[in-house]
Amino acid sequence: MSRLARRPRADHRHTAEEARRRPGTWVTVGEYRNTTSAQDLASRISSGYPIGNPVYGTPYWPAGDFESRTSRTEDGTLLEARYTGGGVASSDTNDAAWADAVASLSGGTV
């Protein structure tokens, strides 16, 4: 029985720096065999929660400055992150979506 090839470890510090240099651009964090692992890391990136040992903190700081997404691949799950600089890029979209949702619940008035 052959073993699966070892994948390179994600360099989160490098990924966060690269994303900051290219705001709004999706940067590859890594590809994970386990979807749950990729989704857990995606959540940690977006929330600014420490990765690994809490003593070391997270390079994806401050909380809310990064977005993350996962997508299935042939070999697992791809994890990507992008720097939004405090969520400016996504907050406008979220504000509009919330305003529409509230308007529809309240009969069209906000």
Side-chain angles (χ1 to χ4, degrees), residues 43-65:
S43 175
R44 289 170 183 258
I45 289 169
S46 297
S47 67
Y49 192 83
I51 295 172
N53 188 332
V55 171
Y56 301 117
T58 179
Y60 305 104
W61 186 257
D65 278 8

Side-chain angles (χ1 to χ4, degrees), residues 13-104:
R13 196 172 315 275
H14 173 77
T15 301
E17 290 169 3
E18 180 69 21
R20 281 190 179 92
R21 283 193 295 270
R22 299 171 30 204
T25 303
W26 291 104
V27 178
T28 298
V29 176
E31 188 171 1
Y32 297 83
R33 285 192 186 98
N34 187 308
T35 300
T36 303
S37 296
Q39 291 172 340
D40 178 59
L41 275 170
S43 175
R44 289 170 183 258
I45 289 169
S46 297
S47 67
Y49 192 83
I51 295 172
N53 188 332
V55 171
Y56 301 117
T58 179
Y60 305 104
W61 186 257
D65 278 8
F66 288 86
E67 292 180 334
S68 58
R69 68 181 180 187
T70 60
S71 57
R72 298 282 298 153
T73 65
E74 187 175 308
D75 296 323
T77 303
L78 178 67
L79 172 59
E80 297 173 299
R82 73 176 171 182
Y83 178 69
T84 60
V88 174
S90 63
S91 68
D92 293 339
T93 304
N94 288 340
D95 289 347
W98 276 109
D100 288 345
V102 170
S104 69

